[in-house]
Coordinates of all heavy atoms in Angstrom, one line a residue:
K675 N -64.8 -50.3 12.6 CA -65.6 -49.1 13.1 C -65.1 -47.9 12.3 O -66.0 -47.2 11.9 CB -65.4 -48.9 14.6 CG -66.2 -49.8 15.5 CD -66.0 -49.5 16.9 CE -66.7 -50.6 17.7 NZ -66.4 -50.3 19.2
Q676 N -63.8 -47.9 11.9 CA -63.3 -46.8 11.1 C -63.9 -46.9 9.8 O -64.3 -45.9 9.2 CB -61.8 -46.9 11.1 CG -61.1 -46.6 12.4 CD -59.6 -46.9 12.3 OE1 -59.1 -47.8 11.8 NE2 -58.8 -46.0 12.9
R677 N -63.9 -48.0 9.2 CA -64.5 -48.2 7.8 C -66.0 -47.9 7.8 O -66.4 -47.2 6.8 CB -64.2 -49.6 7.3 CG -62.7 -49.8 7.1 CD -62.4 -51.1 6.3 NE -63.1 -52.2 6.7 CZ -62.6 -53.2 7.3 NH1 -61.3 -53.1 7.9 NH2 -63.3 -54.3 7.7
I678 N -66.6 -48.3 8.8 CA -68.1 -47.9 8.8 C -68.3 -46.5 9.1 O -69.3 -45.9 8.4 CB -68.8 -48.8 9.9 CG1 -68.9 -50.3 9.5 CG2 -70.2 -48.3 10.3 CD1 -69.3 -51.2 10.7
K679 N -67.6 -45.8 9.9 CA -67.7 -44.4 10.1 C -67.6 -43.7 8.8 O -68.4 -42.6 8.6 CB -66.7 -44.0 11.2 CG -67.0 -42.6 11.7 CD -66.0 -42.3 12.9 CE -66.2 -40.8 13.4 NZ -65.3 -40.6 14.5
L680 N -66.6 -44.1 8.0 CA -66.3 -43.3 6.8 C -67.4 -43.7 5.7 O -68.0 -42.7 5.1 CB -65.0 -43.7 6.1 CG -64.6 -43.1 4.9 CD1 -64.6 -41.6 4.9 CD2 -63.3 -43.6 4.4
A681 N -67.9 -44.9 5.7 CA -69.0 -45.3 4.8 C -70.3 -44.6 5.0 O -71.0 -44.1 4.2 CB -69.2 -46.8 4.9
K682 N -70.6 -44.2 6.3 CA -71.7 -43.6 6.7 C -71.8 -42.1 6.2 O -72.9 -41.5 6.0 CB -72.0 -43.5 8.2 CG -72.5 -44.9 8.7 CD -72.7 -44.8 10.3 CE -73.1 -46.1 10.8 NZ -73.4 -46.1 12.3
K683 N -70.6 -41.6 5.9 CA -70.6 -40.2 5.3 C -71.3 -40.1 3.9 O -71.6 -39.1 3.5 CB -69.1 -39.7 5.4 CG -68.7 -39.4 6.7 CD -67.3 -38.6 6.6 CE -66.9 -38.2 7.9 NZ -67.7 -37.2 8.6
G684 N -71.3 -41.3 3.2 CA -71.9 -41.3 1.9 C -73.3 -41.6 1.9 O -74.0 -41.5 0.8
G685 N -73.9 -41.9 3.0 CA -75.4 -42.3 3.0 C -75.7 -43.6 2.2 O -74.8 -44.4 2.0
N686 N -76.9 -43.7 1.8 CA -77.3 -45.0 1.1 C -77.0 -45.1 -0.3 O -77.0 -46.2 -0.8 CB -78.9 -45.1 1.3 CG -79.2 -45.3 2.7 OD1 -78.6 -45.8 3.6 ND2 -80.4 -44.8 3.0
N687 N -76.6 -44.1 -1.0 CA -76.4 -44.1 -2.3 C -74.8 -43.9 -2.7 O -74.5 -43.4 -3.8 CB -77.1 -42.9 -3.1 CG -78.6 -43.2 -3.0 OD1 -79.1 -44.4 -3.0 ND2 -79.4 -42.2 -2.8
C688 N -74.1 -44.4 -1.8 CA -72.7 -44.2 -1.9 C -72.0 -45.6 -2.1 O -72.3 -46.5 -1.3 CB -72.0 -43.4 -0.8 SG -70.3 -43.1 -0.9
D689 N -71.1 -45.7 -3.1 CA -70.4 -47.0 -3.2 C -69.1 -47.0 -2.4 O -68.5 -46.0 -2.2 CB -70.1 -47.3 -4.7 CG -71.3 -47.6 -5.5 OD1 -72.2 -48.3 -5.1 OD2 -71.5 -46.9 -6.7
V690 N -68.7 -48.2 -2.0 CA -67.5 -48.3 -1.2 C -66.7 -49.4 -2.0 O -67.1 -50.5 -2.2 CB -67.7 -48.7 0.3 CG1 -66.4 -48.9 1.0 CG2 -68.7 -47.7 1.0
L691 N -65.4 -49.0 -2.2 CA -64.5 -49.9 -2.8 C -63.3 -50.1 -1.8 O -62.6 -49.1 -1.5 CB -63.9 -49.3 -4.1 CG -62.7 -50.0 -4.8 CD1 -63.0 -51.4 -5.3 CD2 -62.2 -49.1 -6.0
T692 N -63.2 -51.3 -1.4 CA -62.0 -51.6 -0.5 C -61.0 -52.4 -1.2 O -61.3 -53.2 -2.1 CB -62.5 -52.4 0.8 OG1 -63.1 -53.6 0.4 CG2 -63.5 -51.6 1.5
M693 N -59.8 -52.0 -1.0 CA -58.6 -52.6 -1.8 C -57.5 -53.2 -0.8 O -57.4 -52.6 0.2 CB -58.0 -51.6 -2.7 CG -59.0 -51.0 -3.5 SD -58.1 -49.9 -4.8 CE -57.1 -48.8 -3.8
S694 N -56.9 -54.3 -1.2 CA -55.8 -54.8 -0.5 C -55.0 -55.8 -1.4 O -55.6 -56.4 -2.2 CB -56.4 -55.6 0.7 OG -55.2 -56.2 1.4
A695 N -53.7 -55.7 -1.1 CA -52.9 -56.6 -1.8 C -52.6 -57.9 -1.0 O -52.0 -58.8 -1.3 CB -51.5 -56.0 -2.1
T696 N -53.2 -57.9 0.3 CA -53.1 -59.0 1.2 C -54.4 -59.7 1.3 O -55.5 -59.1 1.6 CB -52.7 -58.4 2.6 OG1 -51.6 -57.5 2.4 CG2 -52.4 -59.5 3.6
P697 N -54.4 -61.0 1.1 CA -55.7 -61.8 1.3 C -56.0 -61.8 2.8 O -55.2 -62.0 3.6 CB -55.3 -63.2 0.9 CG -54.0 -63.2 0.2 CD -53.3 -61.9 0.6
I698 N -57.3 -61.4 3.0 CA -57.8 -61.3 4.4 C -58.8 -62.3 4.6 O -59.9 -62.3 3.9 CB -58.3 -59.8 4.7 CG1 -57.1 -58.9 4.4 CG2 -58.8 -59.7 6.0 CD1 -57.5 -57.8 3.5
P699 N -58.8 -63.2 5.6 CA -59.8 -64.3 5.8 C -61.2 -63.7 5.9 O -62.1 -64.2 5.3 CB -59.3 -65.0 7.0 CG -57.8 -64.7 7.0 CD -57.6 -63.4 6.5
R700 N -61.4 -62.7 6.7 CA -62.7 -62.1 7.0 C -63.3 -61.6 5.6 O -64.5 -61.9 5.3 CB -62.7 -61.0 8.0 CG -64.1 -60.4 8.4 CD -64.0 -59.4 9.3 NE -65.3 -58.8 9.7 CZ -66.0 -58.0 8.9 NH1 -65.3 -57.4 7.8 NH2 -67.1 -57.6 9.3
T701 N -62.5 -60.8 4.9 CA -63.0 -60.3 3.5 C -63.3 -61.4 2.6 O -64.3 -61.4 1.9 CB -61.9 -59.3 3.0 OG1 -61.6 -58.4 4.0 CG2 -62.3 -58.7 1.7
M702 N -62.5 -62.5 2.6 CA -62.7 -63.7 1.7 C -64.1 -64.3 2.1 O -64.9 -64.6 1.2 CB -61.6 -64.6 1.8 CG -60.3 -64.0 1.1 SD -58.8 -65.1 1.4 CE -59.3 -66.5 0.5
M703 N -64.3 -64.5 3.4 CA -65.7 -64.9 3.8 C -66.8 -64.1 3.4 O -67.8 -64.7 2.9 CB -65.6 -65.3 5.3 CG -64.8 -66.3 5.7 SD -65.4 -68.1 5.2 CE -64.5 -68.3 3.8
L704 N -66.7 -62.8 3.5 CA -67.8 -61.9 3.2 C -68.1 -62.1 1.7 O -69.2 -62.1 1.2 CB -67.3 -60.5 3.5 CG -67.5 -60.1 5.0 CD1 -66.9 -58.7 5.2 CD2 -68.9 -60.1 5.4
S705 N -67.1 -62.2 0.9 CA -67.2 -62.3 -0.5 C -67.7 -63.7 -1.0 O -68.6 -63.8 -1.8 CB -65.9 -62.0 -1.4 OG -64.9 -62.9 -0.9
F706 N -67.3 -64.7 -0.3 CA -67.8 -66.0 -0.4 C -69.2 -66.1 -0.2 O -69.9 -66.8 -0.9 CB -67.0 -67.0 0.4 CG -67.4 -68.5 0.3 CD1 -67.0 -69.2 -0.8 CD2 -68.2 -69.1 1.3 CE1 -67.4 -70.5 -0.9 CE2 -68.6 -70.4 1.1 CZ -68.2 -71.1 0.0
F707 N -69.8 -65.5 0.9 CA -71.2 -65.6 1.2 C -72.1 -64.5 0.6 O -73.2 -64.5 0.9 CB -71.4 -65.6 2.7 CG -70.8 -66.9 3.4 CD1 -69.7 -66.9 4.2 CD2 -71.5 -68.1 3.2 CE1 -69.3 -68.1 4.7 CE2 -71.1 -69.2 3.8 CZ -69.9 -69.3 4.6
G708 N -71.5 -63.8 -0.3 CA -72.3 -62.9 -1.1 C -72.5 -61.5 -0.5 O -73.3 -60.8 -1.0
D709 N -71.9 -61.2 0.6 CA -72.1 -59.9 1.2 C -71.2 -58.9 0.6 O -71.2 -57.7 0.9 CB -71.8 -60.0 2.8 CG -72.8 -60.8 3.4 OD1 -73.9 -60.9 3.0 OD2 -72.4 -61.3 4.5
M710 N -70.1 -59.3 -0.3 CA -69.3 -58.4 -0.8 C -68.8 -59.0 -2.2 O -68.5 -60.1 -2.3 CB -68.0 -58.2 0.1 CG -66.9 -57.3 -0.3 SD -65.5 -57.2 0.7 CE -66.2 -56.4 2.2
D711 N -68.7 -58.2 -3.2 CA -68.2 -58.6 -4.5 C -66.7 -58.4 -4.4 O -66.1 -57.6 -3.7 CB -68.7 -57.7 -5.6 CG -70.3 -57.9 -5.8 OD1 -70.8 -58.9 -5.5 OD2 -70.8 -56.9 -6.2
I712 N -66.0 -59.4 -5.2 CA -64.6 -59.3 -5.1 C -64.1 -59.3 -6.6 O -64.6 -60.1 -7.5 CB -64.0 -60.5 -4.3 CG1 -62.5 -60.5 -4.2 CG2 -64.3 -61.8 -5.1 CD1 -61.9 -61.5 -3.2
S713 N -63.0 -58.7 -6.8 CA -62.3 -58.7 -8.1 C -60.8 -59.0 -7.8 O -60.3 -58.5 -6.8 CB -62.3 -57.3 -8.8 OG -63.7 -57.1 -9.1
I714 N -60.2 -59.9 -8.6 CA -58.8 -60.2 -8.3 C -58.0 -59.8 -9.5 O -58.3 -60.1 -10.7 CB -58.6 -61.7 -8.0 CG1 -59.5 -62.1 -6.8 CG2 -57.2 -62.1 -7.8 CD1 -59.5 -63.6 -6.6
L715 N -56.9 -59.1 -9.2 CA -56.0 -58.7 -10.3 C -54.8 -59.7 -10.1 O -54.0 -59.5 -9.1 CB -55.5 -57.2 -10.1 CG -56.6 -56.2 -10.0 CD1 -55.9 -54.9 -9.7 CD2 -57.3 -56.1 -11.3

Side-chain angles (χ1 to χ4, degrees):
K675 288 181 183 177
Q676 292 171 317
R677 295 191 311 257
I678 289 171
K679 190 173 180 180
L680 181 57
K682 284 183 178 179
K683 290 190 172 290
N686 295 330
N687 295 322
C688 184
D689 291 311
V690 178
L691 171 63
T692 58
M693 304 187 307
S694 178
T696 308
I698 301 127
R700 181 179 182 279
T701 304
M702 290 172 66
M703 287 291 92
L704 285 170
S705 60
F706 179 76
F707 288 111
D709 293 333
M710 182 184 292
D711 295 329
I712 188 168
S713 298
I714 298 172
L715 303 175

